[in-house]
Amino acid sequence: MTIQQSTDLTHAAMLGLGVFRPQRVVTNDEICEVLDSSDEWIQTRSGIRTRRFAGEDETLIGMSTAAAERALAAAGVDAAQLGCVIVATSTHPEHTPAAAPQVATNLGITAAAFDISAGCAGFCHALNLAASMVRAGAETYVLVVGVEQLSRFMDPTDRGTAFIFADGAGAVVVGPSDAPGIGPTAWGSDGSQAHVITQSPSCLGGHGSTGHPVVQMEGTAVFRWAPFAMADVAHEALRLAGVSVDELDAFIPHQANLRITQTLAKKIDLPDSVAVATDVIDAGNTSAASVPLAMEAMLRQDEASAGDTALLIAFGAGLSYAGQVVTLPPLA
Ligand code: UT7
């Protein structure tokens, strides 16, 4: 008895990208109405000028659905063709049920659907899963969504997080292609630093805990770790893809902090000719949504074009990290 298996091995690529940015733009001055900080400090330390917070009618599932519909339109793929929906998020309000099945239902389909949790690196993890499924012939089209509603999980008086995190969604359709469009992923984790970015209190609550959990972060620890550790991951992703740093058109790291991006770019000797994503300035740090949102900003502002070669790198809670060289997809 032989178990039947697909032998249709193929290349995989991102076929279309769509995003959802919430309506409401929040300035540093507005953040500082509650937070003991200043516009100048926030801009100098993080690069952030504004971010967006979702309104009452902009739910995590709704933002995901809107981004997904735009990605499908950009790819010219019908929702009915999707074999799997993966949602990367840390801010879906329930551990169970997952967000992805509800996104699938909104798209009118009953495809396999599940969430993954890899902090700010969630999108790059999900992209690897989707590309692997398509390459192996397990599915033809897979939807990947990175989405966060961090404004619901923040303490607005916490000087370490309140000015950083924000909301939004980005989605891509991954499907078959003539040439490799998603390079091998350099990824890993360091659970010994689990305490650096946490949800507190845990879902079990704890003595004296009130209200719902918020994200807490030892920002300086992340700041000391990220540029150095991620330079190695960048080199590994480039090596695995057989691409040299000067062959890149764009560098799209997780939008954690403009200073981390700049330090990382220096550490990998990124030539000035390579366009660098700076969406953190307008969008803040949207965790799992930040890489697709930054990709969209570069394409929309003509800083990069569909078909360009880009290096993606993301890192965050876990600590978890993942990076890959990709061919940029078209926008709707
Ligand atoms: O996306 C997941 C991964 N997360 C990240 O990548 C975040 C990485 N970390 C960061 O982006 C930075 O660490 C922060 C932007 C969070 C903080 O910047 P920093 O340069 O590491 O500041 P710091 O915490 O070392 O604080 C420097 C100074 C301190 O004052 P003294 O001791 O030098 O007098 C703080 O008390 O700034 C003070 N400070 C603030 N002042 C105004 C700390 N937070 C604030 C604040 N507003 N919000």
Side-chain angles (χ1 to χ4, degrees), residues 60 64 87-95 99 115-123 145-154 165-168 197-200 203 212-216 254 285-289 315-318 320:
L60 187 119
S64 302
V87 172
T89 187
S90 303
T91 49
H92 177 44
E94 291 108 31
H95 273 182
D115 295 358
I116 66 155
S117 169
C120 303
F123 177 83
V145 182
V147 59
E148 301 290 0
Q149 198 168 353
L150 280 146
S151 62
R152 290 183 73 178
F153 293 92
M154 281 190 316
F165 292 119
D167 305 340
I197 306 171
T198 58
Q199 166 197 305
S200 180
C203 291
H212 67 271
V214 294
V215 174
Q216 292 185 335
H254 166 46
N285 176 341
T286 55
S287 191
F315 50 90
S320 298

mmCIF file of all heavy atoms in Angstrom, residues 60 64 87-95 99 115-123 145-154 165-168 197-200 203 212-216 254 285-289 315-318 320:
data_model
loop_
_atom_site.group_PDB
_atom_site.id
_atom_site.type_symbol
_atom_site.label_atom_id
_atom_site.label_comp_id
_atom_site.label_asym_id
_atom_site.label_seq_id
_atom_site.Cartn_x
_atom_site.Cartn_y
_atom_site.Cartn_z
ATOM 1 N N LEU A 60 -9.643 43.279 13.951
ATOM 2 C CA LEU A 60 -8.503 42.509 13.441
ATOM 3 C C LEU A 60 -8.930 41.616 12.264
ATOM 4 O O LEU A 60 -8.230 41.534 11.253
ATOM 5 C CB LEU A 60 -7.950 41.653 14.581
ATOM 6 C CG LEU A 60 -6.657 40.909 14.269
ATOM 7 C CD1 LEU A 60 -5.546 41.362 15.205
ATOM 8 C CD2 LEU A 60 -6.835 39.419 14.403
ATOM 9 N N SER A 64 -7.878 42.223 8.318
ATOM 10 C CA SER A 64 -7.269 41.094 7.596
ATOM 11 C C SER A 64 -8.027 40.828 6.302
ATOM 12 O O SER A 64 -7.417 40.589 5.243
ATOM 13 C CB SER A 64 -7.317 39.819 8.453
ATOM 14 O OG SER A 64 -6.656 40.014 9.662
ATOM 15 N N VAL A 87 -2.809 33.291 9.202
ATOM 16 C CA VAL A 87 -2.802 34.632 9.800
ATOM 17 C C VAL A 87 -1.707 34.675 10.868
ATOM 18 O O VAL A 87 -1.720 33.865 11.805
ATOM 19 C CB VAL A 87 -4.178 34.979 10.412
ATOM 20 C CG1 VAL A 87 -4.095 36.284 11.210
ATOM 21 C CG2 VAL A 87 -5.238 35.109 9.313
ATOM 22 N N ALA A 88 -0.779 35.589 10.714
ATOM 23 C CA ALA A 88 0.277 35.801 11.713
ATOM 24 C C ALA A 88 -0.135 36.998 12.570
ATOM 25 O O ALA A 88 -0.323 38.099 12.041
ATOM 26 C CB ALA A 88 1.609 36.073 11.017
ATOM 27 N N THR A 89 -0.285 36.769 13.858
ATOM 28 C CA THR A 89 -0.693 37.861 14.752
ATOM 29 C C THR A 89 -0.371 37.513 16.199
ATOM 30 O O THR A 89 -0.274 36.338 16.551
ATOM 31 C CB THR A 89 -2.213 38.149 14.611
ATOM 32 O OG1 THR A 89 -2.538 39.311 15.376
ATOM 33 C CG2 THR A 89 -3.068 36.978 15.079
ATOM 34 N N SER A 90 -0.230 38.541 17.006
ATOM 35 C CA SER A 90 -0.104 38.349 18.457
ATOM 36 C C SER A 90 -1.241 39.057 19.177
ATOM 37 O O SER A 90 -1.258 39.093 20.416
ATOM 38 C CB SER A 90 1.217 38.929 18.964
ATOM 39 O OG SER A 90 2.300 38.344 18.299
ATOM 40 N N THR A 91 -2.160 39.658 18.427
ATOM 41 C CA THR A 91 -3.173 40.500 19.077
ATOM 42 C C THR A 91 -4.607 40.104 18.738
ATOM 43 O O THR A 91 -5.521 40.898 18.933
ATOM 44 C CB THR A 91 -2.933 41.991 18.737
ATOM 45 O OG1 THR A 91 -2.759 42.136 17.328
ATOM 46 C CG2 THR A 91 -1.725 42.527 19.461
ATOM 47 N N HIS A 92 -4.807 38.881 18.212
ATOM 48 C CA HIS A 92 -6.177 38.376 18.114
ATOM 49 C C HIS A 92 -6.650 38.198 19.554
ATOM 50 O O HIS A 92 -5.961 37.561 20.348
ATOM 51 C CB HIS A 92 -6.164 37.044 17.348
ATOM 52 C CG HIS A 92 -7.492 36.386 17.250
ATOM 53 N ND1 HIS A 92 -8.642 37.080 16.934
ATOM 54 C CD2 HIS A 92 -7.877 35.092 17.439
ATOM 55 C CE1 HIS A 92 -9.662 36.240 16.914
ATOM 56 N NE2 HIS A 92 -9.220 35.035 17.218
ATOM 57 N N PRO A 93 -7.805 38.762 19.901
ATOM 58 C CA PRO A 93 -8.174 38.775 21.320
ATOM 59 C C PRO A 93 -8.428 37.402 21.941
ATOM 60 O O PRO A 93 -8.439 37.286 23.158
ATOM 61 C CB PRO A 93 -9.434 39.644 21.377
ATOM 62 C CG PRO A 93 -9.741 40.070 19.992
ATOM 63 C CD PRO A 93 -8.715 39.539 19.052
ATOM 64 N N GLU A 94 -8.668 36.377 21.150
ATOM 65 C CA GLU A 94 -8.901 35.054 21.735
ATOM 66 C C GLU A 94 -7.800 34.075 21.311
ATOM 67 O O GLU A 94 -7.414 34.066 20.159
ATOM 68 C CB GLU A 94 -10.239 34.464 21.251
ATOM 69 C CG GLU A 94 -11.464 35.183 21.777
ATOM 70 C CD GLU A 94 -12.153 36.005 20.703
ATOM 71 O OE1 GLU A 94 -12.108 35.614 19.533
ATOM 72 O OE2 GLU A 94 -12.701 37.070 21.050
ATOM 73 N N HIS A 95 -7.370 33.243 22.267
ATOM 74 C CA HIS A 95 -6.467 32.148 21.889
ATOM 75 C C HIS A 95 -7.203 31.154 21.019
ATOM 76 O O HIS A 95 -6.642 30.534 20.140
ATOM 77 C CB HIS A 95 -5.958 31.431 23.141
ATOM 78 C CG HIS A 95 -4.741 32.089 23.693
ATOM 79 N ND1 HIS A 95 -4.074 31.623 24.783
ATOM 80 C CD2 HIS A 95 -4.080 33.179 23.301
ATOM 81 C CE1 HIS A 95 -3.042 32.394 25.043
ATOM 82 N NE2 HIS A 95 -3.033 33.354 24.143
ATOM 83 N N ALA A 99 -8.115 33.407 14.376
ATOM 84 C CA ALA A 99 -8.692 34.440 13.496
ATOM 85 C C ALA A 99 -8.863 33.932 12.065
ATOM 86 O O ALA A 99 -9.822 34.310 11.370
ATOM 87 C CB ALA A 99 -7.786 35.673 13.515
ATOM 88 N N ASP A 115 -3.844 30.267 12.663
ATOM 89 C CA ASP A 115 -2.996 31.404 13.050
ATOM 90 C C ASP A 115 -1.611 30.901 13.448
ATOM 91 O O ASP A 115 -1.472 29.757 13.904
ATOM 92 C CB ASP A 115 -3.581 32.117 14.275
ATOM 93 C CG ASP A 115 -4.917 32.775 14.008
ATOM 94 O OD1 ASP A 115 -5.386 32.720 12.853
ATOM 95 O OD2 ASP A 115 -5.502 33.329 14.956
ATOM 96 N N ILE A 116 -0.626 31.772 13.308
ATOM 97 C CA ILE A 116 0.676 31.462 13.893
ATOM 98 C C ILE A 116 1.126 32.640 14.752
ATOM 99 O O ILE A 116 0.767 33.793 14.492
ATOM 100 C CB ILE A 116 1.765 31.137 12.843
ATOM 101 C CG1 ILE A 116 2.088 32.354 11.985
ATOM 102 C CG2 ILE A 116 1.378 29.949 11.986
ATOM 103 C CD1 ILE A 116 3.488 32.263 11.428
ATOM 104 N N SER A 117 1.904 32.328 15.778
ATOM 105 C CA SER A 117 2.395 33.341 16.699
ATOM 106 C C SER A 117 3.915 33.299 16.695
ATOM 107 O O SER A 117 4.507 32.340 17.180
ATOM 108 C CB SER A 117 1.858 33.038 18.101
ATOM 109 O OG SER A 117 2.514 33.837 19.047
ATOM 110 N N ALA A 118 4.529 34.281 16.071
ATOM 111 C CA ALA A 118 5.990 34.392 16.112
ATOM 112 C C ALA A 118 6.346 35.870 16.266
ATOM 113 O O ALA A 118 7.307 36.367 15.679
ATOM 114 C CB ALA A 118 6.620 33.794 14.863
ATOM 115 N N GLY A 119 5.527 36.576 17.048
ATOM 116 C CA GLY A 119 5.770 37.988 17.334
ATOM 117 C C GLY A 119 5.897 38.794 16.050
ATOM 118 O O GLY A 119 5.189 38.541 15.071
ATOM 119 N N CYS A 120 6.821 39.732 16.071
ATOM 120 C CA CYS A 120 7.001 40.622 14.912
ATOM 121 C C CYS A 120 7.553 39.864 13.701
ATOM 122 O O CYS A 120 7.553 40.389 12.591
ATOM 123 C CB CYS A 120 7.931 41.768 15.273
ATOM 124 S SG CYS A 120 7.345 42.717 16.665
ATOM 125 N N ALA A 121 8.049 38.637 13.926
ATOM 126 C CA ALA A 121 8.592 37.846 12.811
ATOM 127 C C ALA A 121 7.530 36.952 12.183
ATOM 128 O O ALA A 121 7.837 36.136 11.308
ATOM 129 C CB ALA A 121 9.772 37.010 13.301
ATOM 130 N N GLY A 122 6.287 37.100 12.608
ATOM 131 C CA GLY A 122 5.220 36.195 12.172
ATOM 132 C C GLY A 122 5.026 36.149 10.671
ATOM 133 O O GLY A 122 4.848 35.073 10.088
ATOM 134 N N PHE A 123 5.038 37.320 10.011
ATOM 135 C CA PHE A 123 4.795 37.328 8.568
ATOM 136 C C PHE A 123 5.878 36.543 7.827
ATOM 137 O O PHE A 123 5.573 35.741 6.934
ATOM 138 C CB PHE A 123 4.725 38.774 8.040
ATOM 139 C CG PHE A 123 4.539 38.847 6.553
ATOM 140 C CD1 PHE A 123 3.277 38.732 5.976
ATOM 141 C CD2 PHE A 123 5.636 39.015 5.702
ATOM 142 C CE1 PHE A 123 3.106 38.764 4.599
ATOM 143 C CE2 PHE A 123 5.476 39.053 4.326
ATOM 144 C CZ PHE A 123 4.206 38.927 3.773
ATOM 145 N N VAL A 145 -1.444 36.482 5.888
ATOM 146 C CA VAL A 145 -1.825 37.783 6.440
ATOM 147 C C VAL A 145 -0.965 38.069 7.671
ATOM 148 O O VAL A 145 -0.809 37.193 8.526
ATOM 149 C CB VAL A 145 -3.318 37.798 6.870
ATOM 150 C CG1 VAL A 145 -3.704 39.175 7.401
ATOM 151 C CG2 VAL A 145 -4.232 37.388 5.724
ATOM 152 N N GLY A 146 -0.415 39.276 7.757
ATOM 153 C CA GLY A 146 0.213 39.764 8.987
ATOM 154 C C GLY A 146 -0.681 40.880 9.497
ATOM 155 O O GLY A 146 -0.941 41.837 8.755
ATOM 156 N N VAL A 147 -1.167 40.763 10.715
ATOM 157 C CA VAL A 147 -2.147 41.750 11.202
ATOM 158 C C VAL A 147 -1.956 41.980 12.695
ATOM 159 O O VAL A 147 -1.619 41.060 13.434
ATOM 160 C CB VAL A 147 -3.595 41.265 10.911
ATOM 161 C CG1 VAL A 147 -3.889 39.928 11.558
ATOM 162 C CG2 VAL A 147 -4.635 42.312 11.320
ATOM 163 N N GLU A 148 -2.143 43.208 13.122
ATOM 164 C CA GLU A 148 -2.069 43.511 14.561
ATOM 165 C C GLU A 148 -3.019 44.643 14.922
ATOM 166 O O GLU A 148 -3.254 45.550 14.119
ATOM 167 C CB GLU A 148 -0.652 43.958 14.982
ATOM 168 C CG GLU A 148 0.460 42.975 14.729
ATOM 169 C CD GLU A 148 0.464 41.731 15.606
ATOM 170 O OE1 GLU A 148 -0.421 41.561 16.471
ATOM 171 O OE2 GLU A 148 1.376 40.902 15.390
ATOM 172 N N GLN A 149 -3.516 44.534 16.149
ATOM 173 C CA GLN A 149 -4.263 45.645 16.739
ATOM 174 C C GLN A 149 -3.638 45.898 18.108
ATOM 175 O O GLN A 149 -4.252 45.663 19.150
ATOM 176 C CB GLN A 149 -5.744 45.276 16.838
ATOM 177 C CG GLN A 149 -6.626 46.501 17.016
ATOM 178 C CD GLN A 149 -8.097 46.196 16.831
ATOM 179 O OE1 GLN A 149 -8.475 45.096 16.448
ATOM 180 N NE2 GLN A 149 -8.940 47.169 17.104
ATOM 181 N N LEU A 150 -2.399 46.376 18.064
ATOM 182 C CA LEU A 150 -1.632 46.526 19.303
ATOM 183 C C LEU A 150 -2.175 47.627 20.200
ATOM 184 O O LEU A 150 -1.938 47.617 21.409
ATOM 185 C CB LEU A 150 -0.160 46.769 18.968
ATOM 186 C CG LEU A 150 0.585 45.466 18.632
ATOM 187 C CD1 LEU A 150 1.653 45.684 17.582
ATOM 188 C CD2 LEU A 150 1.188 44.863 19.895
ATOM 189 N N SER A 151 -2.929 48.570 19.610
ATOM 190 C CA SER A 151 -3.466 49.663 20.431
ATOM 191 C C SER A 151 -4.387 49.124 21.530
ATOM 192 O O SER A 151 -4.588 49.780 22.546
ATOM 193 C CB SER A 151 -4.216 50.675 19.560
ATOM 194 O OG SER A 151 -5.312 50.050 18.924
ATOM 195 N N ARG A 152 -4.935 47.924 21.325
ATOM 196 C CA ARG A 152 -5.811 47.319 22.336
ATOM 197 C C ARG A 152 -5.022 46.625 23.430
ATOM 198 O O ARG A 152 -5.579 46.218 24.428
ATOM 199 C CB ARG A 152 -6.726 46.268 21.684
ATOM 200 C CG ARG A 152 -7.766 46.870 20.800
ATOM 201 C CD ARG A 152 -8.669 45.791 20.254
ATOM 202 N NE ARG A 152 -9.573 45.269 21.276
ATOM 203 C CZ ARG A 152 -10.500 44.339 21.041
ATOM 204 N NH1 ARG A 152 -10.631 43.835 19.845
ATOM 205 N NH2 ARG A 152 -11.298 43.932 21.985
ATOM 206 N N PHE A 153 -3.734 46.410 23.188
ATOM 207 C CA PHE A 153 -2.934 45.630 24.145
ATOM 208 C C PHE A 153 -1.744 46.445 24.652
ATOM 209 O O PHE A 153 -0.658 45.927 24.821
ATOM 210 C CB PHE A 153 -2.469 44.320 23.498
ATOM 211 C CG PHE A 153 -3.611 43.388 23.208
ATOM 212 C CD1 PHE A 153 -4.244 43.413 21.978
ATOM 213 C CD2 PHE A 153 -4.079 42.531 24.192
ATOM 214 C CE1 PHE A 153 -5.316 42.576 21.721
ATOM 215 C CE2 PHE A 153 -5.155 41.688 23.947
ATOM 216 C CZ PHE A 153 -5.788 41.714 22.709
ATOM 217 N N MET A 154 -1.983 47.736 24.811
ATOM 218 C CA MET A 154 -0.901 48.592 25.292
ATOM 219 C C MET A 154 -1.350 49.344 26.528
ATOM 220 O O MET A 154 -2.519 49.676 26.663
ATOM 221 C CB MET A 154 -0.543 49.633 24.219
ATOM 222 C CG MET A 154 0.325 49.062 23.136
ATOM 223 S SD MET A 154 0.985 50.317 22.035
ATOM 224 C CE MET A 154 -0.354 51.399 21.701
ATOM 225 N N PHE A 165 4.050 50.955 19.347
ATOM 226 C CA PHE A 165 3.207 49.975 18.667
ATOM 227 C C PHE A 165 1.969 50.584 18.020
ATOM 228 O O PHE A 165 1.478 51.633 18.455
ATOM 229 C CB PHE A 165 2.822 48.858 19.645
ATOM 230 C CG PHE A 165 3.997 48.011 20.049
ATOM 231 C CD1 PHE A 165 4.388 47.920 21.377
ATOM 232 C CD2 PHE A 165 4.721 47.314 19.097
ATOM 233 C CE1 PHE A 165 5.468 47.141 21.753
ATOM 234 C CE2 PHE A 165 5.813 46.531 19.454
ATOM 235 C CZ PHE A 165 6.181 46.443 20.788
ATOM 236 N N ALA A 166 1.471 49.909 16.970
ATOM 237 C CA ALA A 166 0.353 50.444 16.199
ATOM 238 C C ALA A 166 -0.393 49.312 15.496
ATOM 239 O O ALA A 166 -0.086 48.136 15.692
ATOM 240 C CB ALA A 166 0.888 51.457 15.189
ATOM 241 N N ASP A 167 -1.357 49.706 14.682
ATOM 242 C CA ASP A 167 -2.287 48.745 14.081
ATOM 243 C C ASP A 167 -2.195 48.738 12.554
ATOM 244 O O ASP A 167 -1.854 49.749 11.938
ATOM 245 C CB ASP A 167 -3.735 49.112 14.458
ATOM 246 C CG ASP A 167 -3.947 49.228 15.964
ATOM 247 O OD1 ASP A 167 -3.117 48.677 16.722
ATOM 248 O OD2 ASP A 167 -4.928 49.873 16.365
ATOM 249 N N GLY A 168 -2.596 47.618 11.953
ATOM 250 C CA GLY A 168 -2.667 47.526 10.487
ATOM 251 C C GLY A 168 -2.632 46.075 10.043
ATOM 252 O O GLY A 168 -2.486 45.160 10.860
ATOM 253 N N ILE A 197 10.252 40.497 25.600
ATOM 254 C CA ILE A 197 8.977 41.041 25.103
ATOM 255 C C ILE A 197 7.891 40.072 25.575
ATOM 256 O O ILE A 197 7.905 38.899 25.197
ATOM 257 C CB ILE A 197 8.949 41.161 23.568
ATOM 258 C CG1 ILE A 197 10.149 41.956 23.071
ATOM 259 C CG2 ILE A 197 7.649 41.826 23.110
ATOM 260 C CD1 ILE A 197 10.310 41.942 21.550
ATOM 261 N N THR A 198 6.977 40.568 26.387
ATOM 262 C CA THR A 198 5.996 39.667 27.008
ATOM 263 C C THR A 198 4.593 40.247 26.976
ATOM 264 O O THR A 198 4.394 41.442 26.722
ATOM 265 C CB THR A 198 6.344 39.436 28.496
ATOM 266 O OG1 THR A 198 6.368 40.707 29.138
ATOM 267 C CG2 THR A 198 7.657 38.717 28.668
ATOM 268 N N GLN A 199 3.657 39.334 27.250
ATOM 269 C CA GLN A 199 2.282 39.751 27.513
ATOM 270 C C GLN A 199 2.110 39.633 29.017
ATOM 271 O O GLN A 199 2.385 38.579 29.598
ATOM 272 C CB GLN A 199 1.347 38.798 26.791
ATOM 273 C CG GLN A 199 -0.100 38.886 27.235
ATOM 274 C CD GLN A 199 -0.872 37.644 26.795
ATOM 275 O OE1 GLN A 199 -0.890 37.311 25.633
ATOM 276 N NE2 GLN A 199 -1.498 36.971 27.747
ATOM 277 N N SER A 200 1.658 40.704 29.652
ATOM 278 C CA SER A 200 1.551 40.663 31.100
ATOM 279 C C SER A 200 0.240 41.303 31.559
ATOM 280 O O SER A 200 -0.076 42.408 31.119
ATOM 281 C CB SER A 200 2.739 41.405 31.702
ATOM 282 O OG SER A 200 2.651 41.373 33.085
ATOM 283 N N CYS A 203 -2.480 34.844 30.374
ATOM 284 C CA CYS A 203 -3.922 34.593 30.291
ATOM 285 C C CYS A 203 -4.462 33.996 31.592
ATOM 286 O O CYS A 203 -5.652 34.040 31.850
ATOM 287 C CB CYS A 203 -4.242 33.663 29.124
ATOM 288 S SG CYS A 203 -3.959 34.475 27.572
ATOM 289 N N HIS A 212 -7.186 43.420 31.074
ATOM 290 C CA HIS A 212 -6.639 42.476 30.102
ATOM 291 C C HIS A 212 -5.131 42.682 29.958
ATOM 292 O O HIS A 212 -4.598 43.709 30.373
ATOM 293 C CB HIS A 212 -7.367 42.621 28.766
ATOM 294 C CG HIS A 212 -7.109 43.920 28.091
ATOM 295 N ND1 HIS A 212 -7.858 45.034 28.309
ATOM 296 C CD2 HIS A 212 -6.168 44.274 27.203
ATOM 297 C CE1 HIS A 212 -7.382 46.025 27.578
ATOM 298 N NE2 HIS A 212 -6.371 45.593 26.905
ATOM 299 N N PRO A 213 -4.441 41.699 29.348
ATOM 300 C CA PRO A 213 -2.982 41.789 29.257
ATOM 301 C C PRO A 213 -2.522 42.937 28.351
ATOM 302 O O PRO A 213 -3.253 43.345 27.439
ATOM 303 C CB PRO A 213 -2.582 40.454 28.634
ATOM 304 C CG PRO A 213 -3.790 39.596 28.638
ATOM 305 C CD PRO A 213 -4.966 40.470 28.755
ATOM 306 N N VAL A 214 -1.328 43.423 28.599
ATOM 307 C CA VAL A 214 -0.692 44.407 27.718
ATOM 308 C C VAL A 214 0.695 43.891 27.340
ATOM 309 O O VAL A 214 1.256 43.032 28.026
ATOM 310 C CB VAL A 214 -0.563 45.799 28.386
ATOM 311 C CG1 VAL A 214 -1.932 46.408 28.616
ATOM 312 C CG2 VAL A 214 0.236 45.721 29.675
ATOM 313 N N VAL A 215 1.233 44.438 26.261
ATOM 314 C CA VAL A 215 2.577 44.057 25.830
ATOM 315 C C VAL A 215 3.589 44.854 26.645
ATOM 316 O O VAL A 215 3.417 46.067 26.843
ATOM 317 C CB VAL A 215 2.769 44.338 24.325
ATOM 318 C CG1 VAL A 215 4.213 44.069 23.908
ATOM 319 C CG2 VAL A 215 1.820 43.478 23.509
ATOM 320 N N GLN A 216 4.616 44.165 27.138
ATOM 321 C CA GLN A 216 5.701 44.851 27.842
ATOM 322 C C GLN A 216 7.016 44.506 27.157
ATOM 323 O O GLN A 216 7.152 43.414 26.605
ATOM 324 C CB GLN A 216 5.747 44.417 29.298
ATOM 325 C CG GLN A 216 4.528 44.924 30.068
ATOM 326 C CD GLN A 216 4.606 44.610 31.546
ATOM 327 O OE1 GLN A 216 5.271 43.665 31.947
ATOM 328 N NE2 GLN A 216 3.914 45.396 32.342
ATOM 329 N N HIS A 254 11.817 44.453 9.452
ATOM 330 C CA HIS A 254 10.738 44.758 10.389
ATOM 331 C C HIS A 254 10.900 46.198 10.864
ATOM 332 O O HIS A 254 11.998 46.626 11.232
ATOM 333 C CB HIS A 254 10.825 43.779 11.569
ATOM 334 C CG HIS A 254 10.012 44.190 12.739
ATOM 335 N ND1 HIS A 254 8.710 44.623 12.632
ATOM 336 C CD2 HIS A 254 10.312 44.260 14.068
ATOM 337 C CE1 HIS A 254 8.239 44.925 13.828
ATOM 338 N NE2 HIS A 254 9.202 44.721 14.709
ATOM 339 N N ASN A 285 5.410 50.755 14.792
ATOM 340 C CA ASN A 285 5.777 49.337 14.759
ATOM 341 C C ASN A 285 4.489 48.509 14.828
ATOM 342 O O ASN A 285 3.842 48.454 15.861
ATOM 343 C CB ASN A 285 6.703 49.054 15.961
ATOM 344 C CG ASN A 285 7.087 47.589 16.099
ATOM 345 O OD1 ASN A 285 6.436 46.706 15.546
ATOM 346 N ND2 ASN A 285 8.128 47.335 16.865
ATOM 347 N N THR A 286 4.150 47.903 13.691
ATOM 348 C CA THR A 286 2.903 47.120 13.622
ATOM 349 C C THR A 286 3.188 45.630 13.712
ATOM 350 O O THR A 286 2.388 44.823 13.216
ATOM 351 C CB THR A 286 2.127 47.443 12.331
ATOM 352 O OG1 THR A 286 2.996 47.216 11.214
ATOM 353 C CG2 THR A 286 1.625 48.868 12.301
ATOM 354 N N SER A 287 4.300 45.261 14.313
ATOM 355 C CA SER A 287 4.646 43.857 14.599
ATOM 356 C C SER A 287 4.483 42.969 13.362
ATOM 357 O O SER A 287 5.126 43.226 12.350
ATOM 358 C CB SER A 287 3.808 43.389 15.792
ATOM 359 O OG SER A 287 4.264 42.146 16.257
ATOM 360 N N ALA A 288 3.619 41.973 13.410
ATOM 361 C CA ALA A 288 3.537 41.013 12.294
ATOM 362 C C ALA A 288 3.062 41.647 10.987
ATOM 363 O O ALA A 288 3.236 41.074 9.918
ATOM 364 C CB ALA A 288 2.619 39.856 12.660
ATOM 365 N N ALA A 289 2.474 42.845 11.064
ATOM 366 C CA ALA A 289 1.999 43.514 9.843
ATOM 367 C C ALA A 289 3.067 44.407 9.228
ATOM 368 O O ALA A 289 2.900 44.905 8.108
ATOM 369 C CB ALA A 289 0.746 44.340 10.143
ATOM 370 N N PHE A 315 12.049 40.272 13.336
ATOM 371 C CA PHE A 315 12.502 39.773 14.641
ATOM 372 C C PHE A 315 11.605 40.342 15.722
ATOM 373 O O PHE A 315 11.059 41.427 15.574
ATOM 374 C CB PHE A 315 13.952 40.245 14.900
ATOM 375 C CG PHE A 315 14.125 41.730 14.667
ATOM 376 C CD1 PHE A 315 13.936 42.642 15.696
ATOM 377 C CD2 PHE A 315 14.426 42.215 13.406
ATOM 378 C CE1 PHE A 315 14.071 44.014 15.465
ATOM 379 C CE2 PHE A 315 14.550 43.585 13.173
ATOM 380 C CZ PHE A 315 14.376 44.482 14.193
ATOM 381 N N GLY A 316 11.454 39.578 16.784
ATOM 382 C CA GLY A 316 10.648 40.088 17.892
ATOM 383 C C GLY A 316 10.398 39.027 18.941
ATOM 384 O O GLY A 316 11.221 38.125 19.131
ATOM 385 N N ALA A 317 9.236 39.150 19.596
ATOM 386 C CA ALA A 317 8.922 38.317 20.764
ATOM 387 C C ALA A 317 9.204 36.854 20.485
ATOM 388 O O ALA A 317 8.959 36.338 19.398
ATOM 389 C CB ALA A 317 7.467 38.513 21.157
ATOM 390 N N GLY A 318 9.744 36.209 21.494
ATOM 391 C CA GLY A 318 10.111 34.783 21.377
ATOM 392 C C GLY A 318 11.353 34.457 22.188
ATOM 393 O O GLY A 318 11.279 33.743 23.139
ATOM 394 N N SER A 320 12.067 35.465 18.308
ATOM 395 C CA SER A 320 11.977 34.714 17.065
ATOM 396 C C SER A 320 12.423 35.607 15.926
ATOM 397 O O SER A 320 12.206 36.827 15.983
ATOM 398 C CB SER A 320 10.525 34.298 16.806
ATOM 399 O OG SER A 320 10.055 33.460 17.826
#
